[in-house]
Every structure is written in structure tokens, then in C-alpha cells.
Amino acid sequence: MHRRANGLSPELKLIDAVTQEEVEVDSLTVSRYETLSAADYHLGTLYIPHPKAMTPAQKSALEAIGGGIWDAGVSATRIFSSGASVLNLPIGSESKPASLSSASGTVVSVAARGRQTPVHPNAATAGLKVFMHSPYDCVLAIKRDLTDHFNWEIEHENYKDAWELLEDHPEVVSSASQSVAETSPTSTPVLKQGSLHDFFADEDASQDTVSAVRANQNTAVEKEKRRVGDLWVQQLVNASKWDEAGKVAGRVLGTSSRWEHWVWKFAQTNHFNEISPYIPTKQMQPPLPSMVYEVILGHYIINDRIRFKHLLEAWDPELFDINSVIEAIKAKLNAGDVTEDSVEGNEQGRDWRILQDGLAKLYLASGRQREALRCYIRLQNADAAMSIIRDFHLVEAVRDDIPGFILLRVSRDQMASAPLEELEEASSETIEVLVEEGCRGTILADDVVAQLQESKKRDSFQPFLFFYLRRLWKPELHERKARTAKERVAEDRLAADGKIVAEGFSDLMVELFAEYDRPLLMEFLRKSQSFDLSKATAICETREYIPELV
């Protein structure tokens, strides 16, 4: 049969029913369209209910129609002998599926072919189908859903948009993985007639699922989010957007294995600052290897003590090996470039204090309270030191550093120029502890006096030695703390023991009282019989203390 060969490519146009304007134009891919005219094309609609709402007979009809539609693209001549219309089959009938009929009356039964044609996934899904066919092809149009949008984002490497789509619509994963084969329905089928308006309108995709299925879907969603998130981070790293990559990693990486992988990637390229703020601060399951945290902390111990301080405050000590970090800090302190006198950020001793404080916290976390106490004494952190002493009963631990303990609340400026009253107030708490423990015999007065006199800054510690011995010899100068009769008895006993202990340093007390408290010197000379008369006479003559000399 002779045909013309100048036909135009067919187009599907969407027209707004109100404004009569073209909303969308899509050119259809049809073979041998040059030989076809308008009469050779047919457009039909078919509404497919949800498979759970169909009976077995309706499913068979769906398979027949679906198979026939897709066979049209393979061997159209078996169905169409001309450009005549195809019979649209109803889905609601309980009878056996009708065969497809051509204009010449030839019946082509799908069942009669002796084979089962699988239903294409797009043909089997619920919703309205729009199909356009010619004698040679069949084009099926379905509504684009979120799954299509997600796949499009992935294909175009828009991983950010794909991940956020999963975040907002996790049902995308369950829709994408949904199988064509569904379990047999238990409810009565509900049939609806569709329209082109329904096809392009939003549909409610929510479905009731049992808890087990929902749990499986959630697991699949999380896995897919991690996969897309990993691609997103890789894309940013490839573009050298390390800052953004670190932020995204903290948002999308959900497993310890992926964290380990990306931390090493950042560390190998010296981008610690970009990833460290986002590393998990609590233990993961399975846990992230402790080496990850130790490498980052070690880097900042050497290069940036401010960041080290912040990370140590944010991270749980269980995340890393405490002893490894302690050794790294000690190695840095022993190197000699970070000292009490070194200046960082226009602040003297800043980094030294940070490392000492970090060392103290790690000692406490590992149960080494004595070492922590020594660090706080070096830092002159009186509150922390006194708290450890009270909580862990470690008064005797200060025996090795009496001068440091006394100076917990005394600054360098005070040591250099503060009046005696100010020094007494600043050291009153520690002097009180030393006196009480001296009376009990926990910290011997001999040790206190020896260390204060042997100190490199011996002259600077003379006022504190005076405070200590005066408090021992004359306890009534200080406020009594006893509330009950029993406590008062114990306090009186300690006061008496203190006087006995102080008498062992009579000659030293004469010298100190003559220097710092002349009225107390007179009282001591009258009441005490234990001092050396010749030494006391020499001191009074030197200072021209005539009444005391008499």
C-alpha cells in the first residue's frame, strides 16, 4: 500500500483548561512517523488500583493489558492491522480478561499465545496511565513521583538535593524498592475512574504498614542516606571544599567505618581544623577506633593548644586512650618550648596552663588523683586542688610541695608587692589546712618549716612561715569552727598539741615575731621558756627593742 513519507513527529501537549495556554510540550519518540497521519495515533487512559485492592481476576486482567501494551512495541502487527482504535478493557469485571481486538475482527488473546508476558513495573504500579500508540509503537506515560526525582538527582550528581530529599521524604526508598508482586489482598477492591486531572494532581502516597516492615524500611532509608551522604562528601572533597565537606560529614556520616575513612582523608591532607569539630563526641556502636581521636589530639597538642583545650572539654575520655594523650602532653612540656614564661597570644604562660590543666583532667579521668593535685597546685587552681583534697582525702599528698600549696591563692604580683594583711588573707585557707594536719601529725611541722626555709625564694616565704607558726602557737587568733561540745573538746586538744609543736621552733618564732608582730613577741617572751635567751637577746639588741630586752 502506497503511503506518503512526509508526516511530522507527534507531540503531546498539555493545555490549561482555564487559560487555554500551553503548559508543556513533549515530542514523542515514534518509529516511522513519516508514513503516519493523525488517524494512525490513539491516546487512551487506564486507571490501575493499588495491587492490594485487586482480586486475582483483576490482576490477570492487568497482566493481559500490560503484556499487550508492551508487546505492541515488539510486534505491533499482531494487534493492529490499521490505524483503528484499540478496545479499552475494564478492570472491574470478575470475568476472564477480554482479548484485544483489531478493526478487522481478528482476536488476539494473550492467554492463547501460550506464554506469560511479565508486566512492566511502570505498567503495574497504581495510578492513572496515559498511553499513546501507533501501528508500530506504544508510549506509556506515568506520573513522575519522588522516586523519579531522587533518581534524577543521583544521575546528575546532585547529591546534596538527593540527600535532603531522603531526609524529608524517606518513603522514596521504600517506593523505589517496592516489588511488583504484592501479597494477596484481604479487603474488598475499590474501583475508581481516573482522569487527566487526577494524573497531574498530587496523590496521597501514604500506606499503612506493619511495624516490622516499617523498621526494615527505616533501615533501608538510613543505608541509602549514608550512601548518598558519602558521595556528597566525596564530591566536596574532590572540589577542595574542605570546610563544607567537614560540616556535611558531621551531618551525613552515620557509621564508625565511614568516619574512620574520612578522618584519615582529612588528616592526610592536613585539614584537621575542618573535620575535628564534627567528629562524634559520644561512643558509637561499633566504636570509632581510639587512634582517630588520639591522632587529632596529638596534632593539636603540638600545633594548637586552644583547639586541644576545646576538644578535650567536648570529648568523652572513654573515646581515646588516656595514657597515650598524657604521654604526648608530657613530651611537649619536656620539650621546653612551652613554659610558664613563654608568651602566646600576648599572654604569658597561656599554653603551659592549658597543657597542665589538660594533664590534670586526664589524671583525674584515669583515677590518678595525686598527680592531678600536683598539676592544680602548679596552676595555683585553689578551688580544684582543695576539692580534690576534700573528696579524696589527699592532704598528705601536698607534703612534697608545701610552698606550691601555700601559694594556691597567691599571685606573683601579690608575692612581689602585697602588704602583709593581703598575703595573710590569700593564704589563710592553706595555712589552716597545714596547721590542722600538723597538729594531727599528717603533715609534720618539720617538713613545712624545712621546705619554706629551703625554697629558692626563701625570703619571699618568710611571711607564710610567720603565719604558720603564729597559728600553731596562738590558735585563739583564728575563728573556732566547733559547734558541738564534742567538737570543741577535739578542737581544744588540737590547739594544745599545736602549742607543743610550735615550741620546737621557739628561736625561729622569736625572729619572725620580731620582724612581723612586735606585740606578739612580747607575749611570747613572757609565756615561753623554750627559746634560747642569748639568741633572743641578740635579736632585741639589734632591733633596739628595750622593753622586750628587759
Side-chain angles (χ1 to χ4, degrees):
M1 181 178 179
H2 179 71
R3 284 186 174 275
R4 60 192 179 88
N6 60 352
L8 301 178
S9 176
E11 292 179 338
L12 179 66
K13 297 184 178 182
L14 292 181
I15 308 296
D16 189 305
V18 178
T19 64
Q20 307 300 317
E21 296 179 354
E22 287 188 4
V23 177
E24 189 68 44
V25 178
D26 191 12
S27 179
L28 302 179
T29 302
V30 175
S31 62
R32 289 179 280 180
Y33 65 85
E34 296 89 350
T35 64
L36 303 178
S37 63
D40 293 318
Y41 299 100
H42 174 77
L43 183 146
T45 63
L46 185 65
Y47 182 81
I48 305 296
H50 195 276
K52 288 185 177 181
M54 289 192 294
T55 64
Q58 291 171 330
K59 285 190 176 184
S60 297
L62 172 63
E63 293 173 359
I65 295 173
I69 289 174
W70 291 104
D71 271 352
V74 179
S75 181
T77 56
R78 293 190 300 166
I79 301 178
F80 308 107
S81 60
S82 70
S85 299
V86 172
L87 177 64
N88 283 321
L89 301 181
I91 296 299
S93 174
E94 295 291 337
S95 60
K96 293 183 180 181
S99 59
L100 301 179
S101 174
S102 69
S104 63
T106 303
V107 176
V108 184
S109 174
V110 174
R113 298 175 192 168
R115 64 183 177 86
Q116 194 74 8
T117 304
V119 182
H120 192 280
N122 289 331
T125 55
L128 183 67
K129 316 297 174 185
V130 178
F131 53 92
M132 294 72 65
H133 51 78
S134 74
Y136 312 110
D137 299 280
C138 181
V139 179
L140 175 66
I142 61 173
K143 179 185 176 181
R144 286 291 187 188
D145 57 13
L146 290 176
T147 300
D148 297 309
H149 179 51
F150 173 73
N151 292 332
W152 184 89
E153 300 285 11
I154 293 295
E155 291 173 3
H156 290 77
E157 299 182 354
N158 297 331
Y159 301 122
K160 175 180 182 295
D161 295 335
W163 192 91
E164 291 177 346
L165 181 62
L166 283 175
E167 178 81 354
D168 296 335
H169 301 281
E171 67 274 11
V172 169
V173 173
S174 58
S175 299
S177 60
Q178 183 180 11
S179 173
V180 174
E182 298 283 348
T183 57
S184 298
T186 57
S187 59
T188 304
V190 179
L191 304 180
K192 298 198 306 183
Q193 293 296 326
S195 66
L196 285 176
H197 178 269
D198 297 330
F199 178 76
F200 295 106
D202 291 333
E203 297 180 5
D204 184 8
S206 61
Q207 298 293 334
D208 293 332
T209 58
V210 296
S211 59
V213 173
R214 183 179 292 117
N216 290 335
Q217 289 178 349
N218 289 339
T219 301
V221 169
E222 292 304 317
K223 288 182 178 179
E224 185 65 7
K225 285 176 66 177
R226 289 195 293 268
R227 184 186 73 86
V228 176
D230 204 63
L231 293 171
W232 185 7
V233 176
Q234 183 65 64
Q235 185 180 59
L236 294 172
V237 167
N238 292 342
S240 296
K241 298 179 179 179
W242 294 97
D243 285 334
E244 188 177 353
K247 294 178 183 178
V248 171
R251 184 181 179 189
V252 305
L253 298 183
T255 62
S256 56
S257 60
R258 298 318 298 162
W259 267 113
E260 182 179 7
H261 169 79
W262 283 112
V263 168
W264 292 135
K265 287 287 187 182
F266 278 73
Q268 289 168 359
T269 53
N270 199 31
H271 287 94
F272 289 90
N273 296 351
E274 289 78 6
I275 192 65
S276 59
Y278 308 103
I279 295 178
T281 58
K282 299 297 181 182
Q283 194 69 272
M284 302 180 69
Q285 290 299 332
L288 188 59
S290 63
M291 181 64 72
V292 171
Y293 296 95
E294 292 159 22
V295 167
I296 293 177
L297 289 175
H299 169 79
Y300 288 127
I301 287 172
I302 297 173
N303 299 288
D304 191 338
R305 266 70 66 177
I306 295 293
R307 287 184 183 270
F308 166 75
K309 174 185 177 182
H310 293 160
L311 291 180
L312 199 61
E313 291 172 349
W315 290 355
D316 191 324
E318 294 183 356
L319 296 172
F320 50 86
D321 181 38
I322 294 177
N323 290 329
S324 296
V325 181
I326 287 176
E327 292 303 319
I329 296 175
K330 291 168 67 176
K332 184 60 179 175
L333 289 172
N334 293 334
D337 56 331
V338 177
T339 66
E340 294 180 75
D341 299 321
S342 59
V343 178
E344 299 88 14
N346 296 325
E347 185 178 347
Q348 185 176 2
R350 184 197 69 183
D351 286 3
W352 179 85
R353 288 193 298 274
I354 290 175
L355 293 181
Q356 287 288 352
D357 185 69
L359 203 56
K361 290 177 179 176
L362 294 174
Y363 278 139
L364 279 178
S366 61
R368 298 158 67 177
Q369 293 86 11
R370 289 177 177 270
E371 289 87 341
L373 178 58
R374 294 192 187 101
C375 291
Y376 284 130
I377 289 176
R378 295 189 197 105
L379 287 167
Q380 293 185 282
N381 188 335
D383 293 334
M386 298 305 294
S387 176
I388 292 176
I389 289 173
R390 288 190 299 267
D391 295 343
F392 299 100
H393 309 289
L394 292 178
V395 176
E396 75 280 1
V398 307
R399 184 184 298 125
D400 298 333
D401 189 11
I402 299 298
F405 179 65
I406 289 177
L407 295 181
L408 275 176
R409 297 191 187 278
V410 182
S411 67
R412 290 187 177 184
D413 292 339
Q414 287 176 316
M415 283 285 289
S417 59
L420 194 66
E421 293 78 8
E422 186 176 337
L423 292 176
E424 181 180 6
E425 181 180 357
S427 62
S428 60
E429 184 179 11
T430 55
I431 293 295
E432 180 72 19
V433 171
L434 292 175
V435 168
E436 290 181 0
E437 299 307 319
C439 295
R440 294 188 177 98
T442 308
I443 301 177
L444 299 179
D446 291 338
D447 292 336
V448 176
V449 173
Q451 288 192 38
L452 292 179
Q453 287 187 318
E454 293 171 2
S455 174
K456 294 179 180 179
K457 300 178 181 179
R458 183 179 183 277
D459 294 339
S460 299
F461 283 101
Q462 290 302 295
F464 305 106
L465 188 55
F466 160 69
F467 301 145
Y468 176 72
L469 292 175
R470 182 184 62 176
R471 174 68 177 83
L472 274 176
W473 187 75
K474 198 172 179 61
E476 61 270 18
L477 291 175
H478 297 267
E479 181 183 357
R480 297 174 67 90
K481 300 178 180 178
R483 296 181 180 179
T484 65
K486 186 177 180 180
E487 289 176 345
R488 283 194 292 272
V489 170
E491 194 173 71
D492 291 340
R493 184 181 298 113
L494 284 177
D497 293 341
K499 281 184 173 291
I500 295 173
V501 171
E503 289 291 340
F505 305 95
S506 297
D507 294 335
L508 180 59
M509 283 194 289
V510 170
E511 180 181 345
L512 292 172
F513 293 168
E515 176 70 26
Y516 298 108
D517 194 337
R518 186 174 177 181
L520 188 59
L521 172 64
M522 178 65 81
E523 182 180 354
F524 180 76
L525 293 174
R526 288 174 176 173
K527 292 182 177 181
S528 177
Q529 301 296 325
S530 59
F531 59 88
D532 188 309
L533 187 59
S534 60
K535 291 183 178 179
T537 300
I539 292 174
C540 292
E541 288 178 346
T542 301
R543 294 181 176 273
E544 297 182 355
Y545 288 173
I546 304 303
E548 290 81 1
L549 185 60
V550 173

